[in-house]
Amino acid sequence: MAQPGDKRKREDEVENGGAGESVTSAGAEHPLSGFKLRSVLRESARDKTIFLHGQVSDEDAVVILERAPFQADTVSRLLADDPTLRLQLKNDIYGVYHLSPPPQLNEVKATIIRPATEKHIKKYLRQELQLISETGDDYRSITLPFIQSQSFSIQWVYNILEKKAEADRIVHENPDPALGFILLPDFKWNQKQVDDLYLIAICHPRGIKSLRDLNGDHLPLLKNILQEGQAAILERYGVHGHQLRIYLHYQPSYYHLHVHFVALGHEAPGITVERAHLLSDVIQNLELDAQYYRTRTLTYALRVDEPLLQRFRDAGRG
């Protein structure tokens, strides 16, 4: 990965990224005080992640625990300090050991959603998936009415755009109400290394729910996000545009247009071919046909218990 253009800025980011006020300090509420585990929703040995459903003060909560990525400086310190090793297996030149790092090098990231709705709980529950091929007519007759019938709150998005929340996390902003956006780190990234860099660009214009709403009139907005987003990331983190995977999700996790900027070598959730649409491809498609996403059949996966899938089945399309 390329080195940052501004070394001091990068060092500050590494040192302070993701850090905040301790919630375990005197007088502060602990968000997991009295946590009662109800079920393990899903776990991934490959990603070292577990998804839990529990209750705190009679409120449902989803807790995601994941091991923090390794960092070269901390690993170097760990191995240089002659750590305690317990032998598990030894065969010729190969040795497998259990290593117990000190607490400061054994961080576990915890994401807490509280109070969690049934939708949150189902989102993280491991379930069978089914592919849906959604035509433009399907979108207008099945998907759009379903979206409009649901109470998907995106107030947290408006809080960011209005700087009522997370203003200190903004990496770049173009304030233009029609062509502008805010770029900030995704919570899945701890900002301590660029190997798993992950930022989100949230557009200022409201009412653009997803890929389906885009047309030729949105090309200036999309090009701004692509060009300014790459430039801001290069300046802040020293990562070039050709080292980034820049894409939109369909279906998105929330219905306000946003674009993902992810380090190319990072296998982030949602980069599968049936969900991620490269922003450069979206721009080119709209340049060729201003109504491309109004008519194009889009294939994506739905969990088998999702209400939208049932809508497709009721319409004879599932």
Side-chain angles (χ1 to χ4, degrees), residues 62-120:
V62 171
V63 179
I64 306 167
L65 301 177
E66 54 187 308
R67 296 299 300 268
F70 287 109
Q71 301 165 48
D73 59 337
T74 56
V75 170
S76 179
R77 293 206 316 269
L78 171 62
L79 299 180
D81 290 341
D82 296 328
T84 300
L85 297 173
R86 289 185 292 111
L87 179 65
Q88 177 183 343
L89 174 67
K90 179 69 174 172
N91 185 349
D92 193 30
I93 64 173
Y94 303 100
V96 179
Y97 301 84
H98 289 286
L99 185 155
S100 299
Q104 65 270 24
L105 300 180
N106 197 24
E107 180 180 319
V108 174
K109 177 183 175 183
T111 301
I112 303 169
I113 304 171
R114 174 190 166 204
T117 65
E118 187 68 22
K119 178 178 174 61
H120 291 124

Side-chain angles (χ1 to χ4, degrees), residues 203-216:
C203 74
H204 272 300
R206 304 189 184 189
I208 311 174
K209 293 182 291 298
S210 72
L211 200 62
R212 283 293 191 189
D213 288 339
L214 294 174
N215 58 51

Side-chain angles (χ1 to χ4, degrees), residues 134-141 212 293-297:
E134 177 192 276
T135 66
D137 287 339
D138 288 336
Y139 174 74
R140 288 180 286 277
S141 64
R212 283 293 191 189
Y293 290 102
R294 179 177 174 82
T295 59
R296 170 66 192 269
T297 295

Side-chain angles (χ1 to χ4, degrees), residues 27 65 146 164-165 168 188 196 205 251 264 267 270 273 290:
L65 301 177
F146 170 77
K164 294 178 179 177
D168 58 330
K188 289 186 282 293
D196 58 340
Q251 290 277 330
L264 189 58
E267 295 184 10
V273 66

